[in-house]
Amino acid sequence: MKRAPILLCAWLAVAAPGMACAAGSLTATLHHAGVAGVQARRLAHMARADGVPTKTVLGWAHHFAGLHSEGLPVSLAVEQVFEGLMKGVAPGRITAALRVFGDDLRSARQALDRHATPGSVLGHPRTSRRALSDLVIAGREGIRGRSLDRLLGTGRLSVLQVATYTQVAADLRGWGVGRARVVRLLGRARKAGVSDKRLFALDAKLGRQAAQGRSPRALGRDVSEGLGLGPSGGVGGGFGAGAMPGPSGTMGSPGGDFSGPAGAGGGSGAPGGMGAPPMGGP
Amino acid sequence: MAGERDRSLSESEVEAALKAWSGPAVADDFVDRVMARVEAVAAERASPRRRKLAVWAMAAGVAILAAGVLVRMAMTPALPPGTRLVRFVLDMPHAEQVALAGSFNDWGRRIALHAHGHGLWTVRIPLRAGQYSYVFVVNGHRVIADPHAEGYRPDGFGGRNSLIIVGSSGVAA
């Protein structure tokens, strides 16, 4: 027993530098995977604090490295991990979500390459990053593939326009407006040359109205009137039933997935009424 | 003497006495003396010492007022340019603690809400114009969306984030 303090000190003397070295090497690994220095340090620290196994973090680093090698913004994927850790999501589910997010990001990149002018993408890296994030969200809301093509059209847009239209589309879907309705309304707005500023202003106004409990149908009508598009027509334009939040703060089913004449390929339905893409994890 | 004193006066005697009394003897320089005294008092009040005291009292008053304004300004956090104070509110009567987490700080440090009685929890944070995802964390582990959010977005983990749109004119959640 007399030797216990000595042994403890000896163990600390050996283990502490080893642990510090391990943490340092984890940060270095993340950094080599394309994670910025500050984010790498923070991620290593949070993972250690939450008891995430090193092997899992190395798996995340592998995903980050893949995205980095493809020229995709790793920071968006790191933020997804931060969000999971903050919410107390199990590490295995974070890994699964990261895999799905990586696929979504690749699809978003393809969409951006298809719809945005190369000059605007190269010239505005921050806006491009935002556009990719908005495209991922819009994809989760079912606006991807042919739906997205109908919304953004065949002509090339600036990266800011792509970001604006996808963000407003995602917001409208989040308020429960049906996918077909969103695609039709914003497609018409794009053709009519509605400015980004006007669209953003309307978006903010609709957000306040949605918070006060305005129905998805009324919000869709507000978009039409607010943008001066007149009656959008079309009975059964894809409205979901009661998609606004209930008193408990949970969401109803976004509903109303597009099944109109032009089809809506590429978009899977929203499982479980949550509007989220299917998760590969537990 | 007593009989003399108690004797009631006749009407003519009273009249004569009043006549004699109605002309009090006042010196001719009475008014001049009074005015001189008044002027002397006024001059005494306007002495340099009194004037100094008045100036000091006024300066002290201004200093106290300025200190009050400065303290008030120091207590109100200065907002960086381009930001707005946004108020987050959650009605959660049985919660022991409520925190806010969101994309505004890259899902970093949780921000504690303050209890305001009757189950109302609030916090005000400065935000730049833009869109932010956020959730409330109740009692340290329960993640919930804001029932009165301006929008909702899938979070990639099977749940939903609340959405706030901060315009250039500022909004309150």
Side-chain angles (χ1 to χ4, degrees), chain A residues 39-278:
Chain A
Q39 278 193 323
R41 277 193 295 277
R42 197 179 135 205
L43 185 53
H45 175 75
M46 279 180 81
R48 200 168 52 250
D50 289 1
V52 179
T54 307
K55 193 181 167 185
T56 306
V57 182
L58 291 175
W60 296 346
H62 179 70
H63 281 293
F64 298 147
L67 296 174
H68 185 56
S69 66
E70 294 172 49
L72 291 163
V74 177
S75 57
L76 290 175
V78 179
E79 277 173 24
Q80 183 79 19
V81 175
F82 282 145
E83 184 180 341
L85 290 172
M86 172 58 70
K87 291 179 174 176
V89 177
R93 283 188 65 201
I94 293 177
T95 306
L98 195 57
R99 196 177 301 128
V100 174
F101 184 81
D103 293 341
D104 290 346
L105 202 55
R106 288 182 186 96
S107 302
R109 178 57 173 270
Q110 286 169 6
L112 194 64
D113 290 345
R114 204 165 53 243
H115 292 288
T117 55
S120 69
V121 174
L122 290 171
H124 302 89
R126 284 184 68 180
T127 312
S128 300
R129 183 182 178 277
R130 209 194 86 204
L132 285 173
S133 174
D134 290 332
L135 283 163
V136 168
I137 299 285
R140 286 175 182 170
E141 294 282 16
I143 296 176
R144 51 186 151 189
R146 285 179 61 189
S147 296
L148 189 66
D149 290 346
R150 284 190 65 206
L151 194 151
L152 297 177
T154 50
R156 296 275 180 147
L157 304 169
S158 72
V159 70
L160 179 63
Q161 284 174 309
V162 172
T164 304
Y165 278 98
T166 47
Q167 180 185 311
V168 176
D171 288 346
L172 286 167
R173 288 288 290 139
W175 295 324
V177 181
R179 188 169 60 187
R181 180 79 159 172
V182 170
V183 170
R184 192 159 47 237
L185 280 172
L186 293 181
R188 289 177 66 201
R190 175 185 49 75
K191 282 177 192 166
V194 173
S195 71
D196 306 327
K197 271 189 178 177
R198 195 171 167 195
L199 211 54
F200 273 131
L202 182 68
D203 194 41
K205 185 183 167 191
L206 293 179
R208 289 192 288 275
Q209 289 175 344
Q212 288 165 5
R214 197 158 172 82
S215 72
R217 183 176 289 274
L219 287 169
R221 201 166 49 239
D222 290 344
V223 174
S224 197
E225 288 168 4
L227 298 176
L229 301 173
S232 56
V235 180
F239 282 108
M244 296 311 290
S248 64
T250 55
M251 288 293 293
S253 166
D257 280 324
F258 182 64
S259 57
S268 68
M274 297 301 287

Side-chain angles (χ1 to χ4, degrees), chain A residues 42 79-80 82-84 86-87 93 97 137 140-141 167 171 174-175 203 207-208 211 245 247 249 251 274-275 279, chain B residues 101 105-110 131 135 143 145 147-161 163 165 171:
Chain A
R42 197 179 135 205
E79 277 173 24
Q80 183 79 19
F82 282 145
E83 184 180 341
M86 172 58 70
K87 291 179 174 176
R93 283 188 65 201
I137 299 285
R140 286 175 182 170
E141 294 282 16
Q167 180 185 311
D171 288 346
W175 295 324
D203 194 41
R208 289 192 288 275
M251 288 293 293
M274 297 301 287
M279 298 287 293
Chain B
N105 63 356
D106 291 338
W107 299 97
R109 188 176 58 87
R110 289 177 184 176
Q131 280 206 357
V135 290
V143 176
H148 302 292
E150 293 181 355
Y152 298 90
R153 286 189 165 177
D155 68 353
F157 299 106
R160 288 223 151 207
N161 289 329
L163 187 76
I165 305 165
V171 293

